[in-house]
Structures are given as C-alpha cells and as structure tokens.
Amino acid sequence: MKLFAFERAWVAAAFDAVFPEGTALPHGIARMEPGRYYAEAVEKAALEQALGLRASLWIVALAPLWLLRTPRTIASIGPGDRRRVLERLLASPIYAVRQLVAAFKAMAAMLYAQSPAARAAMTAPRRRAAVSGLVPLRRGPAMHAEERGGHDHAAE
Amino acid sequence: MPPSEIQRDGRRFPDDDLPTGSVVDGERLASSRGDSFDAVVVGSGAAGAVAAHVLASAGLEVAIVEEGPWIKTREVREDVRTTFERAMRLRGMQILHGRAYMPMLQGRCVGGSTFVNSAIAWRAPEDVFDEWSRRFGLGDAITAASLEPHFEALERDLSVRPVALEILGENNRLFLEQAKRFGFEAAPMRRYENGCRGSGMCVTACPTAAKQGMSVTYVPWALRLGRARIFTSCRVERVEIRGGRAAAVVARTATGHVVSLHARRAVLVAASTVQTPNLLRRSGVRSPALGKHFQAHPGLALGGLFDRPVEMAFGATQGAESIHFRKTDRFKLETISLPPDLAAARVPGVGAELAERLAQLGNVAVWAAQVRAEAEGTVQEGWGGVDRVRYTLTENDLRAARKAAALIARMMFDAGAREVWPGIYGVPSVLRSIDEVRYIDEAPLDPRAYNFIATHLFGAARMGPDARSSVVDPTFAVHGVDGLYVVDSSVFPTNLGVNPQHTIMAMSRLAATRLAERLAERRAA
C-alpha cells in the first residue's frame, strides 16, 4: 500500500506539530523526512496495520473540518491550529480516534528519537522550569474540569 | 539519519563464529530443500532454544526452525525503530482485539522475546502449581518439586543473579526506597546476566551480550554440539501428520522456497501462545479446547517528573519489583526504564509542551504494574492467515490496575515528583499533587480508558488429562497425535502473576528431558 504525495504532505505537517522547530529540543522533525518515513511504514506493514496507519493519518489530516469548522486540511492551517487539533484528537471522547492518533504520535516519536542530537537531549538530566500554559481543550463527557480539580487538558 | 553506532571494543560474542553449516538463512536460500532430523523444534525463543539444547545434549540430531532472522549482537542498534522493524512480530504493531485494543509485543527473531525482554527470572510460586494440580488435573506431573532441578540448572547456565548495586540506577533505587517507605516488600530483580553494564537497552537488545537471551546462550550452545542446525527466516506452515503421527515440518523461507524437515522421532512446537494454536490448527489438529483460555499479564506504566536526575538511560532496564500485592490484589509492581523513543509517545502534550517535558526526560522515572488478569480470550486465525486474538479485561482486572496505578502515583509524589502522568482517560493527563491521585481512585472501570500493553501470554493450547477440555496431556504430547509436543506457555493452564520466562524454560526443559529419556529407553529396548 503506497501513500500519495498529498498524504506525505499531511504527515509532514502533522509531525511538525508534534516536534516543531524552536522548542527545548535541538531541532524539529521536518528535516528527518517524515513523509518518506511514514510512507515506508505503511508500505511495509501488514494490511490491518497499514490500514490503521492510514486511518490515523486521514483522521489527523481532516480533523480541522470538524474541530475548527474550516474547510482545510492539517497541511493548510497554521502551526498553532495544528497543535490544537492534535491535542484535541488525543483527548477525543471517541476511543478509536484517540487511540489511532496516539499511535500516530508514537510513530512520530519513533522517528524523532533516531536523531542522535535529539536522543542526547532527551536522555541527559537537566533542570527546567515547570511546564506552564497548558492549552484549554473542549471537554469530553468522561472528563469535566469542575469534577477533576480544575484540570482541563488532554488525558492521553 | 542513521541510528547511532554502539562501541563494542572489538569484542567477540557468543553469536559470532558459529559452526560452518549450522545456520541455514532463509533470507538467502535460493532453492527448496529437504532434510531429516531426530527432532524438529519450531521456535527458538525461551521454550524452543532450551528444548533444542536438551535434545542435542542427549545425542539427538535436532533442527530448530525460526520464523525471524538472527540479529547478531554486533548488529544491535539503540533505537527502537530499527529493532522493532527487524525483531518484532508485525514490526511491533501487533494488537489484541476486544473492547479495547492492546498492543501485544512478541519477538520474531532468533531468541524470540528473550532478545528484547528484561531477562527477569522468577520461579512460578507454588500456589500456581497447586492450582494446576487441583483444578486442572495435572496431579504430580508438573509440580514445584519436579521443576526444581530444571530451575536450578537454568539458573546456573544463565548466571541468574540479583541486580548489582553499581548498575541498579536511580529509577530502580528510588522504587525500592519508596516501597520501604510505604511498608511493603520489594527487592532488586534476579536476572539472566553476565557482566551487565547497565546500558538500559534490554528493550532494544543487549549491545554487549551480557543479557543471557537465547540467541547468545542455548541456541549457539546447541549448534556448537555439532548435532543441531537452525533454519532462520523460515515460517512454519504446518506440521505434517501422517497416520496419526507427526512426520515432518514444512516451512517457507523469506525467499519463498519450501523447506521440508522430516522428523524421525518428534516435533516440538514452541512457537508461542499466539502462533502455536494456529499452527496446530493448520496442521489438522482438531481439539475443542484449541485457541481457548488465552490469558495475559496486561501491564500499564506511569511516568513521574522529578526535580533531580533519575537517568533512566543508565542502569538495569528493569531492576526492582514487588510481588507484595500478587495474591491480595492480583498485581505486581516493577520498574521499567523506557528508551526516549517509547517514552516520548507516552509523555503528555505535543509541540513546545511535549518538547519541554522531553528535555527533562533525564529527570523522569517510570514504574509499572502487571495485572494477573482473570480475563480469558481466544486465539484464532483470521482472514488471510493472520493471527487474531480476542481479549477483554474484566471489571476485577481493571480494579486491580486502577489500584496499582494509584499506588504508584502516590509513591512517586511521596518521592518528590513534580508531575505524574497516569495515562488514563478520564483522569487529567498531568497530576501535580498527591491529593490529585484521588482522580485515579475514581477512574472509570472501562478497558478503553487505560493504555495497557500485553507482554506475557499464556494458554490457548492448555494442558490437561481430558482431551475434551485440553490440547496436550501432562507429558506435553498433543492428544491423539503421536510424536507431537507443545512445550511453550500455550500449555499453561493459568497465568502466573510473575514474569514467565523462567517457568517457560523450566517446563520446556522438563518436557524435553522426559522425552529424551523415553526415546533413549525405546532405543535401548
């Protein structure tokens, strides 16, 4: 099973939202040819797994349609919106959606950790300020902020 | 970007310099071939490797047939992608189906899962054998006493020892300290290792062959006896049963050629809990119990972010554990140092938030629980010949998992964690104080809320005296077929509540030893 060029572009855009440039890690994932990597994974996977990989990509790619109510794909929205879309998908009340998108994130992580620089940055102990500014998300039925002590972010 | 090379100081390893002709590589075989052996062993993991070594040591000519390739120590890379693509079944993307999907990791290479596990040695507790004897009619066939000499021999051969202090690592040390503070027993793990340097790479295979997996121990040891041969990258299609007797094993190489191995005396199947039942089915074995009673130890892990270094990258990958709650609450606690590839997938957030946390991965501890689940599933062959496992945890299993997760979270906060990541849907993805652990206490008892991984698999070709309710008899022979034996964990009537490799090997060693004795008696007669 092969990926089309537009699907590869979706992968590149979505992976870039997971590991963008200009963060606490040494570089973004875009320079690691994510489209080719994902296409290769789909091509070599067994049928069921290949379908799952493809389904997860299509969910991520088309999610702006219903999450942002805009007729665009993941590749044609800005970086901030991409990040918000992924966060909401990972916290989706629909089990299949959040599982498939979690698998998509795992694929990105597996590629990113192949970078020696990124790997070194992730394994060396360091002290950092607490993470702040978690993005507020729409609540799913299983999680209400009031009932959960004010937390209102992704439950991945 | 190529995976980073690992320095190995020009050392030679036990999987180097194998006897000429002892390895037939199915990735290179250019034509079909046939051979004849006294015994053919299907699978080279914990069960198959041990059985092959026992039979070869008894003077029998043995063939081992392995579906996956032989990945040598010097080919080991530290990244998960490379390892999973080559060493894992379905490239690490195999799943259990049920109300929730659960990843199921199985090695598919020489050594099987021992190539990528943490080499944890646990003798199954006596209550397990008592239950097998009492509830499943095994009587005196399989007892702690009958397995004792086999456990001892394995422990001697594979250098079983507790994790040494100098390679314990902070992830493990902290767990032990917290267990003591919480008032329950915990201890460094006992593992198969010889010269572990604490590289924290068990999951992606040992780069120095210190881990005593089957690909650097019993498989090469069997080959060096001069009476064994291994056929790698050869998927067994069926066992040929002629006139009620197992006569041959037919496999197909990665290059598409047929390898037919005549078995003069016996075929031993050690293809794993998932593959063994389907292989028996393809071979014409018809048992009402085949594929039923599948069990597992689903595991779930929690991450804790500290203000000080934990350095999971150094130390035993899994080095500390507690079975304190095994009987009362049906779970076992243990540590696991995840490589960044796997950890990154579980860290909350995306983008800058994810990066900020990953940049602090050196300050993260990961502790886990494996549940002795009461759930039972089925193993079948799906459309296109794929293995299909259906399995859904019960409410009791989920209650055990939830209790274990809450305990781990409290231990982490008590140790000074700034954040705990429970990974349970319906619970905030980041907990920031011990008071917030109450959200885990209230987590839904729905399998779709948890991120389990199934690693320890049992049953589906259960042992018992009655052919209507079991697949193999207490001598490991398939009911109604001469010369066909199953020696892997698919014969276990129940799961164990502890890591199973040691018991799998001991059971296989017992089966192979008894078989070798019977064959010797027949020869003498």
Side-chain angles (χ1 to χ4, degrees):
Chain A
M1 195 183 282
K2 287 182 188 283
L3 283 194
F4 296 108
F6 67 87
E7 291 178 303
R8 291 180 182 219
W10 288 348
V11 174
F15 273 24
D16 184 62
V18 182
F19 292 106
E21 290 287 348
T23 67
L25 292 172
H27 61 78
I29 201 169
R31 65 178 71 175
M32 299 177 75
E33 300 186 85
R36 197 178 77 169
Y37 158 76
Y38 206 82
E40 195 182 297
V42 170
E43 200 172 326
K44 290 182 178 169
L47 180 64
E48 185 182 17
Q49 282 68 22
L51 289 172
L53 289 171
R54 196 162 213 157
S56 66
L57 173 60
W58 277 71
I59 288 168
V60 170
L62 302 181
L65 295 176
W66 70 87
L67 289 180
L68 304 181
R69 310 241 178 247
T70 177
R72 293 172 176 210
T73 67
I74 195 81
S76 54
I77 57 175
D81 280 341
R82 284 180 196 159
R83 195 194 67 233
R84 275 187 286 280
V85 164
L86 274 168
E87 284 170 337
R88 288 178 62 174
L89 289 172
L90 285 163
S92 170
I94 302 167
Y95 173 69
V97 169
R98 67 173 185 272
Q99 282 303 106
L100 284 168
V101 178
F104 188 81
K105 181 180 165 186
M107 291 293 290
M110 235 178 302
L111 172 63
Y112 190 64
Q114 287 209 294
S115 153
R119 202 174 185 90
M122 288 191 279
T123 49
R126 70 171 77 166
R127 291 172 197 285
R128 292 247 159 205
V131 178
S132 59
L134 294 168
V135 183
L137 296 175
R138 196 177 64 176
R139 293 167 209 159
M143 190 179 75
H144 297 284
E146 294 81 3
E147 297 164 15
R148 297 289 180 224
H151 290 277
D152 201 14
H153 52 269
E156 292 163 34
Chain B
M1 229 173 283
S4 38
E5 291 285 334
I6 299 160
Q7 296 304 313
R8 294 183 177 86
D9 313 324
R11 287 176 54 191
R12 306 299 295 170
F13 298 109
D15 49 2
D16 290 325
D17 311 319
L18 297 165
T20 308
S22 63
V23 181
V24 179
D25 185 352
E27 289 183 349
R28 296 175 182 209
L29 207 61
S31 62
S32 296
R33 64 183 285 176
D35 267 307
S36 183
F37 296 86
D38 290 322
V40 180
V41 179
V42 180
S44 67
V50 170
H53 183 253
V54 168
L55 297 176
S57 300
L60 298 167
E61 289 184 359
V62 179
I64 309 169
V65 195
E66 167 55 50
E67 184 180 350
W70 196 330
I71 303 167
K72 300 294 174 60
T73 302
R74 60 187 61 262
E75 296 166 351
V76 167
R77 298 288 180 270
E78 65 177 343
D79 71 299
V80 169
R81 179 189 171 195
T82 306
T83 307
F84 274 31
E85 282 185 354
R86 193 124 168 86
M88 305 298 283
R89 184 166 296 280
L90 295 181
R91 307 161 78 83
M93 291 191 276
Q94 189 174 222
I95 45 174
L96 295 175
H97 297 72
R99 270 196 80 204
Y101 297 106
M102 198 185 297
M104 176 170 60
L105 297 178
Q106 287 189 290
R108 194 197 66 115
C109 57
V110 173
S113 295
T114 71
F115 187 68
V116 286
N117 72 8
S118 299
I120 301 163
W122 259 106
R123 295 183 181 200
E126 285 203 28
D127 59 76
V128 171
F129 301 115
D130 290 345
E131 187 184 9
W132 290 4
S133 172
R134 201 182 59 251
R135 272 186 62 205
F136 299 97
L138 299 193
D140 295 333
I142 313 289
T143 62
S146 63
L147 288 170
E148 172 83 20
H150 301 285
F151 280 132
E152 281 179 3
L154 292 163
E155 286 159 18
R156 213 168 36 242
D157 287 354
L158 301 180
S159 310
V160 170
R161 64 189 75 181
V163 175
L165 198 60
E166 56 270 24
I167 55 152
L168 189 61
E170 183 63 7
N171 192 38
N172 299 314
R173 191 204 63 77
L174 193 58
F175 174 86
L176 293 174
E177 187 177 284
Q178 285 308 99
K180 195 171 176 185
R181 278 177 61 84
F182 276 66
F184 62 85
E185 284 175 34
M189 284 175 176
R190 281 157 47 86
R191 303 182 306 158
Y192 316 104
E193 61 101 343
N194 192 357
C196 174
R197 299 176 184 182
S199 60
M201 281 182 59
C202 287
V203 175
T204 47
C206 186
T208 60
K211 179 170 76 173
Q212 299 293 279
M214 300 299 104
S215 65
V216 294
T217 56
Y218 285 117
V219 173
W221 295 346
L223 301 184
R224 290 200 171 96
L225 289 170
R227 287 182 292 275
R229 210 180 308 165
I230 186 166
F231 295 78
T232 62
S233 299
C234 291
R235 181 177 185 269
V236 174
E237 294 185 334
R238 65 186 185 280
V239 178
E240 278 193 4
I241 300 172
R242 296 183 208 133
R245 188 186 172 282
V249 166
V250 179
R252 192 168 293 276
T253 68
T255 49
H257 298 291
V258 173
V259 171
S260 182
L261 303 172
H262 172 60
R264 289 189 291 266
R265 295 167 187 274
V267 172
L268 287 81
V269 180
S272 98
T273 299
V274 177
Q275 284 70 44
T276 290
N278 284 337
L279 172 58
L280 294 180
R281 209 173 261 132
R282 289 198 300 273
S283 306
V285 173
R286 297 286 173 262
S287 162
L290 193 58
K292 292 180 182 162
H293 310 298
F294 169 90
Q295 288 201 310
H297 291 154
L300 82 172
L302 281 79
L305 176 61
F306 291 78
D307 281 322
R308 57 200 168 88
V310 176
E311 282 193 88
M312 284 194 294
F314 171 74
T317 303
Q318 294 195 267
E321 63 188 350
S322 172
I323 60 160
H324 182 86
F325 303 94
R326 176 182 166 275
K327 275 188 178 173
T328 53
D329 297 282
R330 299 183 71 88
F331 65 79
K332 172 180 181 271
L333 297 179
E334 56 191 29
T335 55
I336 179 158
S337 295
L338 292 178
D341 329 45
L342 295 180
R346 299 297 301 276
V347 172
V350 294
E353 182 192 337
L354 173 65
E356 190 63 44
R357 289 201 174 93
L358 287 176
Q360 302 172 77
L361 207 55
N363 293 6
V364 169
V366 179
W367 299 343
Q370 49 168 279
V371 178
R372 190 182 182 196
E374 63 182 19
E376 290 194 355
T378 58
V379 177
Q380 292 172 320
E381 201 164 60
W383 182 77
V386 298
D387 301 308
R388 176 77 53 184
V389 183
R390 299 203 68 82
Y391 182 73
T392 295
L393 293 175
T394 68
E395 198 172 302
N396 280 343
D397 298 334
L398 296 167
R399 199 167 276 119
R402 185 173 71 176
K403 183 171 181 177
L407 174 60
I408 290 171
R410 289 193 170 93
M411 288 168 71
M412 285 179 159
F413 278 121
D414 184 74
R418 172 155 43 95
E419 292 183 355
V420 170
W421 310 324
I424 301 171
Y425 183 74
V427 174
S429 59
V430 179
L431 301 179
R432 292 201 169 79
S433 77
I434 201 163
D435 292 338
E436 294 181 351
V437 179
R438 70 179 186 280
Y439 301 131
I440 301 180
D441 294 328
E442 299 160 5
L445 295 174
D446 180 338
R448 294 169 299 184
Y450 298 80
N451 287 299
F452 288 108
I453 289 184
T455 48
H456 306 157
L457 315 173
F458 312 86
R462 188 184 257 184
M463 178 184 282
D466 184 351
R468 287 166 302 180
S469 59
S470 61
V471 178
V472 303
D473 69 22
T475 68
F476 297 83
V478 173
H479 288 296
V481 183
D482 284 341
L484 181 58
Y485 300 85
V486 177
V487 297
D488 60 26
S489 61
S490 57
V491 306
F492 287 22
T494 67
N495 55 12
L496 310 177
V498 295
N499 308 66
Q501 185 186 332
H502 207 37
T503 309
I504 292 169
M505 291 194 297
M507 290 275 279
S508 175
R509 197 173 187 282
L510 172 77
T513 303
R514 287 178 178 170
L515 175 63
E517 286 167 359
R518 280 198 303 276
L519 293 175
E521 283 167 15
R522 269 187 228 168
R523 268 205 304 261

